[in-house]
Amino acid sequence: MKIFVNEIEREVEKDISVFKIKDIFNKCSDVVVLNGFPIKKDEILKENDRVTLIEKGKKPSMNELESLMIARHTPKVYEKLKVGKIAILGLGGLGSNIAISLARIGVGKLILVDYDVVEPSNLNRQQYFIDDIGKYKTEAMKEHLDKINPFIDVEIHNSYITKENINFLHEVDIIIEAFDDPNCKAEISNFVLLHMREKYLIASSGMAGYYDSNIIVTKKIREKFYICGDFVHEAKEGEGLMAPRVAICANHMANLASKILIDYI
């Protein structure tokens, strides 16, 4: 029968067990993952099962690395993520967290857009480091994503985006609006909804403070348009943006983008 060992198709005898496969292909493996879940007890394999064998503490070759990185994925989703194309407009608290989550799951192409540089007050919620201060956010984030997942295509636009300079959005499947400025949010969102109706648009509203995590939700506003947040607590004087709630909202957006790529496109 056919199974996959570290994402390579193999022909094996029927009723063979996972640990027997481990003995045949990699006696040194410390972690055995079956169909996205690490196992401790032996199991009999079925047709098209996926087994990943990982040796702890050993850095694999680049040829092996990608297959090991996706070992914990649900089977058959990686192929859909790999061909996905997403634009992230704004690389602040939302956008930087979204970019890292989408890179980790292996979305094939990310287009990152921002005009600003990293400054100290960003570090309370954005995915940058002290050494990034003074760098353009696009360039700093690309450096981080290349270290996280070198198998994806990261394109950067270091510019202030307006409806006049967004032709590159026509190539993506999903547009994620992650701006701080409400005027930018409104301008770009309205343009996409009017002139790019074939695109999925994910926006946000309300993630400030340290309010209850569970009031942050994902809502479908209309066909292909979603908003994530609590819809109440916008940033304002006396109510700032903080890492925990911003990251919760960001990952609502990233998770929705994943679902769209896997289930709807």
Side-chain angles (χ1 to χ4, degrees), residues 143-155:
E143 289 177 10
H144 300 327
L145 298 188
D146 288 344
K147 292 177 182 178
I148 290 169
N149 189 341
F151 304 103
I152 64 173
D153 180 12
V154 179
E155 177 182 320

Side-chain angles (χ1 to χ4, degrees), residues 45-87:
L45 289 165
K46 305 181 297 298
E47 185 83 18
N48 291 317
D49 275 347
R50 283 178 147 78
V51 179
T52 305
L53 306 171
I54 301 172
E55 184 176 352
K56 281 188 177 180
K58 179 181 178 181
K59 186 175 180 179
S61 68
M62 291 299 287
N63 289 336
E64 299 175 293
L65 179 59
E66 187 171 18
S67 67
L68 302 186
M69 287 174 63
I70 66 172
R72 297 295 297 271
H73 276 32
T74 303
K76 299 182 181 179
V77 305
Y78 182 66
E79 294 81 0
K80 294 182 178 180
L81 296 171
K82 184 73 173 175
V83 298
K85 298 177 182 179
I86 297 178

Side-chain angles (χ1 to χ4, degrees), residues 162-175:
T162 68
K163 60 186 180 181
E164 282 78 33
N165 64 353
I166 58 174
N167 286 335
F168 59 87
L169 294 182
H170 287 288
E171 70 171 284
V172 303
D173 306 303
I174 302 169
I175 299 166

Side-chain angles (χ1 to χ4, degrees), residues 69-255:
M69 287 174 63
I70 66 172
R72 297 295 297 271
H73 276 32
T74 303
K76 299 182 181 179
V77 305
Y78 182 66
E79 294 81 0
K80 294 182 178 180
L81 296 171
K82 184 73 173 175
V83 298
K85 298 177 182 179
I86 297 178
I88 303 171
L89 310 183
L91 292 175
L94 287 175
S96 63
N97 279 283
I98 292 165
I100 285 178
S101 287
L102 295 180
R104 289 195 184 281
I105 63 170
V107 172
K109 181 165 185 175
L110 298 177
I111 298 179
L112 310 180
V113 184
D114 203 300
Y115 68 92
D116 210 352
V117 298
V118 180
E119 46 89 356
S121 73
N122 298 151
L123 302 183
N124 86 318
R125 69 199 182 282
Q126 301 181 19
Q127 290 293 340
Y128 301 104
F129 301 94
I130 293 171
D131 288 348
D132 293 325
I133 292 173
K135 295 180 182 177
Y136 285 109
K137 289 182 179 179
T138 50
E139 295 172 2
M141 184 51 55
K142 186 177 188 311
E143 289 177 10
H144 300 327
L145 298 188
D146 288 344
K147 292 177 182 178
I148 290 169
N149 189 341
F151 304 103
I152 64 173
D153 180 12
V154 179
E155 177 182 320
I156 62 174
H157 291 259
N158 184 35
S159 60
Y160 185 92
I161 190 169
T162 68
K163 60 186 180 181
E164 282 78 33
N165 64 353
I166 58 174
N167 286 335
F168 59 87
L169 294 182
H170 287 288
E171 70 171 284
V172 303
D173 306 303
I174 302 169
I175 299 166
I176 299 180
E177 176 277 303
F179 292 129
D180 291 331
D181 188 308
N183 293 324
C184 291
K185 281 175 166 298
E187 180 181 8
I188 297 304
S189 295
N190 288 336
F191 184 85
V192 171
L193 291 170
L194 287 172
H195 302 288
M196 297 183 176
R197 295 182 181 178
E198 77 283 6
K199 305 297 182 186
Y200 285 89
L201 174 64
I202 303 173
S204 64
S205 177
M207 72 216 66
Y210 53 93
Y211 299 96
D212 186 355
S213 302
N214 297 313
I215 62 175
I216 292 178
V217 296
T218 298
K219 288 186 180 180
K220 184 175 183 178
I221 305 303
R222 69 187 209 197
E223 191 66 23
K224 296 189 176 182
F225 178 36
Y226 301 80
I227 297 179
C228 301
D230 67 17
F231 297 80
V232 177
H233 298 105
E234 298 289 351
K236 61 184 179 181
E237 184 179 343
E239 193 163 282
L241 295 167
M242 298 168 66
R245 284 190 105 238
V246 170
I248 291 168
C249 186
N251 282 295
H252 266 260
M253 299 168 82
N255 188 58

